[in-house]
Amino acid sequence: MRSLYLMRHAKSTWKEAMLSDFERPLNSRGHVDARRMGKALGSYMDPLTFHVSSAKRAQLTFFNLRQEWEGLKAKHCVSVPELYTFDYLRLIQWISTKPSETQGLALIGHNPALTNLINFLVGSETLDNLATAGFAELKVDILEWRDLARSSGKGLLSRFIVPKDLPE
């Protein structure tokens, strides 16, 4: 059994039209929501090493997450250009290359890739949309990460948290 922790980047801004999608930063709500999620996740989990899309909004999500997650440090962030994708099949390809020793894997990435990955692993009607700064913990019944592509329906959504469900 493997654990997969998936987080969507926090809310980003569209105010600066000349910025590329990759360069878009978080808006004020995004900063606040990522910090709130850091506090919530840190209250019941030890720090995780997150593999983070190299897009600015994903990097800033991690930065804000760690502001309120005790013990989560900059060293827990691994920037991964391949995670700047909107295709869940590319996520599966990337995850499938991870070593056997890695029992748990945490990602900060983008939709629709994350929502589609959850639905592929757990079931097609599981989730309409992983909200910005949303977090999903899945248990996947596989022996090796390389088996992930053949794991449709073998996952269990064991935890799901979105900022709107957190106390103010």
Side-chain angles (χ1 to χ4, degrees):
M1 189 71 73
R2 306 267 170 173
S3 296
L4 193 55
Y5 307 93
L6 304 174
M7 184 170 193
R8 183 176 173 194
H9 65 79
K11 189 78 173 163
S12 59
T13 185
W14 292 91
K15 283 184 179 178
E16 298 178 51
M18 61 189 166
L19 291 178
S20 71
D21 179 73
F22 185 83
E23 297 170 321
R24 287 189 301 115
L26 299 181
N27 67 16
S28 58
R29 184 180 117 199
H31 289 282
V32 170
D33 283 351
R35 288 179 179 175
R36 291 175 60 224
M37 289 296 290
K39 185 173 185 174
L41 295 171
S43 72
Y44 69 85
M45 296 176 74
D46 290 333
L48 300 167
T49 296
F50 281 90
H51 296 82
V52 182
S53 160
S54 52
K56 186 168 189 171
R57 61 191 180 274
Q59 294 290 313
L60 288 171
T61 297
F62 179 82
F63 175 82
N64 282 281
L65 191 70
R66 74 183 181 100
Q67 301 306 305
E68 297 292 331
W69 187 334
E70 190 172 328
L72 191 66
K73 306 287 184 200
K75 69 179 182 176
H76 291 110
C77 178
V78 179
S79 292
V80 181
E82 295 87 355
L83 295 181
Y84 179 65
T85 183
F86 309 104
D87 182 352
Y88 82 101
L89 294 174
R90 288 184 181 233
L91 289 181
I92 289 173
Q93 288 174 338
W94 183 84
I95 294 167
S96 294
T97 66
K98 298 302 139 230
S100 300
E101 319 64 79
T102 306
Q103 291 297 314
L105 196 56
L107 280 64
I108 297 177
H110 307 274
N111 256 357
L114 293 174
T115 296
N116 291 341
L117 178 58
I118 292 166
N119 287 332
F120 171 79
L121 293 172
V122 180
S124 63
E125 302 296 318
T126 302
L127 194 61
D128 288 332
N129 178 48
L130 180 60
T132 52
F135 178 86
E137 179 180 345
L138 291 86
K139 302 295 182 195
V140 187
D141 190 13
I142 55 174
L143 295 175
E144 306 278 342
W145 288 115
R146 68 176 178 234
D147 299 328
L148 194 67
R150 297 182 300 277
S151 302
S152 181
K154 292 185 179 181
L156 170 69
L157 183 61
S158 59
R159 192 170 312 222
F160 181 72
I161 304 169
V162 292
K164 72 175 186 169
D165 292 339
L166 298 176
E168 290 295 326

